[in-house]
Amino acid sequence: MPLSDITARQAKYTGKPQKLSDEKGLFLLVNQSGKYWWLKYRYGGKEKTLALLGVYPEVSLKEARVKRDEARRQIAEGVDPGLVKKQSKIANKLASENNFEALAREWYQSQLALWSPGHATRVIESLEVDAFPDLGLVPATELTAPMILEALRKVGIRGATETAGRILQRVSAIMRYAIQTGRASYTRTKT
């Protein structure tokens, strides 16, 4: 019999973990730290479990079933949903490591030998003050011209137009560096 939302809501931890089964491999694991949606499935002749479905009640029974159906669709297409989840985590980690600030700091280190100490200090301080607050956490692959323009407008509004020009030069150099190191790509859009 399928699990009901009332049963899931009323389930309590009773000293040992318990599984409340739904259907098609979906179950709610109730343990000391909370209630978690899991999926039990077979892939490549092996039984596996997948914890990608979320925490109850943030992920409702209905949402968990949708996620279960998506995972089962992947299995039917010959794709292991556990492997897809691992690849997604790796991609997200790489994206966070390749955010604009991380790339800018790497670019800065690569340029230090070419600059005087005073110039190097001005470059990093200008990026920390005028670029990193708006662009720092954005992955290099998702950085767009309008985002850069908005950051530059903020610099221009305070009357520092020359600084805005320098920031643009530095952002351009950092993005060229990202392209050269394979962490961003250049795409030209047709208008």
Side-chain angles (χ1 to χ4, degrees):
M1 185 166 90
L3 185 64
S4 71
D5 193 55
I6 293 171
T7 305
R9 193 175 326 117
Q10 292 176 348
K12 302 271 189 252
Y13 177 68
T14 59
K16 65 179 183 173
Q18 60 178 326
K19 291 181 184 179
L20 302 176
S21 296
D22 186 42
E23 56 187 1
K24 300 179 185 172
L26 179 66
F27 65 92
L28 184 66
L29 179 65
V30 181
N31 62 26
Q32 190 172 5
S33 59
K35 301 174 187 179
Y36 301 91
W37 292 112
W38 285 73
L39 177 66
K40 185 179 189 180
Y41 66 99
R42 295 189 74 77
Y43 185 81
K46 295 182 180 179
E47 186 175 290
K48 298 184 173 193
T49 55
L50 185 61
L52 93 146
L53 304 178
V55 179
Y56 183 85
E58 287 84 21
V59 176
S60 69
L61 175 60
K62 184 177 179 180
E63 292 168 315
R65 286 176 176 162
V66 169
K67 290 182 178 187
R68 173 207 58 204
D69 293 342
E70 173 61 24
R72 290 177 58 85
R73 184 192 58 74
Q74 289 175 341
I75 294 166
E77 292 173 357
V79 177
D80 183 357
L83 183 59
V84 170
K85 181 182 177 188
K86 285 179 187 175
Q87 290 171 338
S88 176
K89 282 176 96 172
I90 290 169
N92 289 340
K93 183 177 183 228
L94 286 174
S96 69
E97 290 173 355
N98 289 328
N99 65 35
F100 179 77
E101 183 174 351
L103 281 168
R105 290 187 185 281
E106 187 178 315
W107 166 81
Y108 171 78
Q109 290 297 321
S110 74
Q111 301 298 309
L112 275 177
L114 306 173
W115 295 335
S116 70
H119 179 69
T121 301
R122 287 189 299 275
V123 168
I124 197 66
E125 285 176 355
S126 69
L127 288 170
E128 288 173 344
V129 170
D130 296 319
F132 295 165
D134 293 321
L135 308 174
L137 296 177
V138 179
T141 56
E142 296 175 20
L143 196 60
T144 62
M147 294 167 108
I148 297 168
L149 183 60
E150 182 61 30
L152 294 174
R153 280 189 181 138
K154 290 180 181 179
V155 177
I157 287 172
R158 67 172 201 252
T161 54
E162 190 175 325
T163 302
R166 286 191 183 121
I167 296 295
L168 178 57
Q169 289 174 340
R170 291 167 187 156
V171 169
S172 297
I174 293 162
M175 292 309 295
R176 282 193 304 275
Y177 177 79
I179 292 167
Q180 292 165 350
T181 58
R183 289 175 281 179
S185 62
Y186 175 78
T187 55
R188 185 179 202 122
T189 56
K190 294 181 180 181
T191 54

